[in-house]
Amino acid sequence: MTTDRVDGIIAAWQQELPEALHPTSELGKRVMLLADGLGQAVRPVLRELNLTGAEYDVIVALRRGGTPYRQKPSDLSRNLFLSSGGTSNVINQLVRRGYVDREPDPVDGRGTQIRLTEAGVKAAEEAVIATSQAHHDHFTGVPQETIEQLTALLRTLKT
């Protein structure tokens, strides 16, 4: 059996504090390292596009929602797990960059909605394509059948 970084970590904890390990310990560590690797693959892409991770999350969420590409700030906060203050700061940055506009809520005139501008739609689409390619490239060398099997297995987990 070949060993890797996670095997070494689990073996060390097995020796040092075995009661801390559970049958899910290795899976959790592997998923965390995979998520970190995917994040590392995307960071340079976002830098090249001059987007922060939070800006990316907001414009992509708006674009993913379909036309008219708008949402209430509170919905963005909830869906992206951002604080209302954090969402407001990101929206302010995106307004300054011309990627989003604040508009009166058509249902509740007291509120506002955040809408992607034409430049924001273009930036979101470019970013989704580029980050999707970075994720794809991260899995270079992994057989398609393995990717499909892992996807199916991970779908069974609570997320």
Side-chain angles (χ1 to χ4, degrees):
M1 180 172 144
T2 62
T3 61
D4 63 12
R5 183 173 158 199
V6 174
D7 292 328
I9 291 169
I10 297 298
W13 282 118
Q14 186 63 48
Q15 184 173 347
E16 293 297 319
L17 195 61
E19 62 271 19
L21 297 177
H22 297 277
T24 56
S25 295
E26 182 179 354
L27 173 62
K29 184 50 97 176
R30 290 190 183 283
V31 168
M32 288 170 56
L33 289 175
L34 174 59
D36 184 57
L38 290 169
Q40 287 181 35
V42 165
R43 272 187 219 103
V45 172
L46 293 180
R47 267 195 308 273
E48 188 174 303
L49 296 171
N50 197 28
L51 289 169
T52 67
E55 290 171 335
Y56 168 83
D57 288 343
V58 169
I59 65 173
V60 168
L62 290 167
R63 175 60 182 88
R64 182 176 54 238
T67 54
Y69 309 126
R70 68 178 175 213
Q71 288 185 38
K72 294 179 180 180
S74 60
D75 291 341
L76 282 169
S77 294
R78 184 175 44 259
N79 294 333
L80 298 175
F81 305 105
L82 294 170
S83 68
S84 61
T87 302
S88 181
N89 288 337
V90 173
I91 290 168
N92 289 339
Q93 292 167 4
L94 291 169
V95 166
R96 282 192 294 274
R97 297 183 64 192
Y99 288 163
V100 301
D101 285 326
R102 285 185 175 86
E103 296 182 337
D105 187 323
V107 176
D108 178 2
R110 298 169 298 166
T112 61
Q113 289 199 348
I114 308 306
R115 182 190 55 83
L116 274 179
T117 63
E118 193 173 311
V121 170
K122 183 178 181 224
E125 290 173 354
E126 183 179 3
V128 168
I129 290 167
T131 58
S132 181
Q133 184 65 51
H135 286 164
H136 176 74
D137 293 347
H138 185 78
F139 291 104
T140 297
V142 178
Q144 183 64 31
E145 181 180 326
T146 301
I147 290 172
E148 290 168 6
Q149 291 170 341
L150 290 169
T151 300
L153 289 169
L154 288 171
R155 189 174 283 121
T156 67
L157 299 178
K158 293 179 190 176
T159 53

